[in-house]
Amino acid sequence: MSLFAGPVRPLTRELNVTNNEEKINDRITDPHDPGRMTGAAAAVAAEELAKIYPGDIHAVKGISFAVEAGEAFGLLGPNGAGKTTTIGMLNTTVKPSSGRALLAGRDVTRDPIGARSVSSVVFQDAVVDRPLTGRQNLELHLKLWGVDTSVGRRRLAELTGTVGISDILDRPVATYSGGQRRRTEIVRALLSGPEVLFLDEPTVGLDTRSRHDLFDVIGTLRERTGVTIIITTHYLDEAERLCDRLAIIQSGTIVACDSPARLLASIGPEVLELRTDDAAKAAAVLRANGVEPDDVVVIGQTLTASLRAINGARALELLEDGNVPARSATARHPNLDDVYLRLTGGPILSPADRPE
Amino acid sequence: MTVTAIPAPILGKRGEKSRTKEVRAAPTLAMRRLALSVRNPRALVLPVMNPVLFALVIAPALANTVAGPAQQTTYMTFLALATMGLLIPLNSLFFGIGVVVDRQQGAMRELLVAPIRRSSIVLGNMMAAIAITSLQTVVLIGLSVARGADYVTSTHVLWFVGATLVYTVLMYSVAEVLATRLPTAEAYTAAIPVVAIVPFFFAGSLFPITALPGWLSAIAKALPLTHALALFRYGLTPSSGVRALHNIWGMTNVTAMAVLSAAVIAAYALLAFVAAVRLFTKAGTS
Ligand SMILES: Nc1ncnc2c1ncn2[C@@H]1O[C@H](COP(=O)(O)OP(=O)(O)O)[C@@H](O)[C@H]1O
Ligand SMILES: [Mg+2]
């Protein structure tokens, strides 16, 4: 397979993960032959995928990753990062400008129908026939994917029961709530027994309760079907909760790719968050005491620093000794937002975008 | 909860399995389109309303006004058949709105990620359009008979049936092209009168094309509707059909003229169908 011959390019910017012996690339290189990617056996493999839309819009700038069968892989990034475009190239509805991708070994450009037959998509916004009933929408999927009638009937009963939509199946989808519609779409996607399931921003527009219900539903369905999942999101909690591994994507480029735990570990054990009128001075004090420049991010009057060389208590002491005017200061455990901030120099969500 | 593994997918790989799936795809999609149409009866009634009104009210009234007593039935029948030239384009174009709606708020993207050819999607819609048009044709012809139209039943009817089918393929392909190219439902709706009604006045519907000025009658001969109408007439009112065909071709061999006109609309239909599939396929992977 020419796609996987030749030297492996580094997939992501390497992280300063202290306790990380296993580099990111190891996950997709064959341990017995490091020069060869095991991507051919991977459920999803993307190599240098790029998309330039008309008008010279570089939406995706050559991204590579491989996802193992059964893995849940997240594309995490702000609106406009290129997540939907990436999913579009993988599901054959967006033509890559360059690069290649395989779904369960099928090339999305050369064998689009083959690639589509092993995958299903839950789109970012509703893609259903609203006047038709849930059952009609589901049965259409079964027929189009050529699922054997009795197998299809059994799966339909089982999956709709699992996610609790059996009672509403014979109502027009137009009468469903947002959460019910999403469940219907997820069930529909799984009816064909796909090897790869794409979920594009699955919980956008849902209330908190429905979001959490949906996390549970996705988790359950994953256990039951063993399907490989590619999920895009701009919600950190969602990424952390649903994904085994995350690619943080920023302006069409993957800036980091690892498990949520190891991404968090890359930040160090503690994070200092300081509200101050003199962020420059605070930053200078911290740097003078061994905090790496890359580990300090200033946005407005808020300074965030990942602490490795010194702990939180010591950092607060130093700031006090240095007469830094602080309005509030806390040392806390890091979260994915900190990882994101450190990698991109900005928060993933503007306050208005945060889920309630 | 007991965790039961869902069996491995029965996937259409290459060969037999995927071919049967492909063959079933278009009828499946046609059924979907019909199911959606049934839920929106207005969309079925609107396109047939104008032609029915024309055949039942306007045609007899016009015939009364312009034709002498001996000619009334003949002219009324002439006008009633002309109505087919409104019915097929209006119905096909109204039907095409469904494609715009699919794209804007329906399941289009789900269809685009289904493991079927893009052409099956166009074909499925077209099969539904043909089904609906056939039904409406039967209603229209039936109503005009009830109103006194005088058709001749003979094997010539097959020319009528064939021309209806091929002309529907043509007009529905045009509808798909417009639905794929025009960005909004508004733009699409605005195009309907231009495409569906303007040609009607020049195609020998209300009067023979020989009554047109020379240059316009040359244009009329190039319009597919002129050929379709001549064949509709040839199918149900052979003597009037022969005149219409003669006005186009000026030949004496009637069958040859009918075959030529059929070839003209078939060529248009083929071109339009290929364009529709090409454009839809291109739009499906952007
Ligand atoms: N069809 C398109 N034509 C032109 N530009 C597009 C198109 N789709 C997306 N873009 C642009 O590409 C970039 C990435 O978009 P998208 O993949 O939707 O990002 P995300 O899903 O991460 O929010 C954005 O700048 C967006 O405006
Ligand atoms: Mg998106």
Side-chain angles (χ1 to χ4, degrees), chain A residues 84 124 200-201:
Chain A
T84 298
Q124 185 165 346
D200 195 3
E201 309 260 9

Side-chain angles (χ1 to χ4, degrees), chain A residues 53 57 59 78-85:
Chain A
Y53 284 115
I57 299 164
N79 285 325
K83 305 182 297 292
T84 298
T85 302

Side-chain angles (χ1 to χ4, degrees), chain A residues 4 6-9 25-26 28-38:
Chain A
F4 299 105
V8 180
R9 271 159 246 170
N25 283 345
D26 292 348
I28 57 159
T29 47
D30 184 339
H32 308 293
D33 179 7
R36 198 182 153 72
M37 285 165 91
T38 50

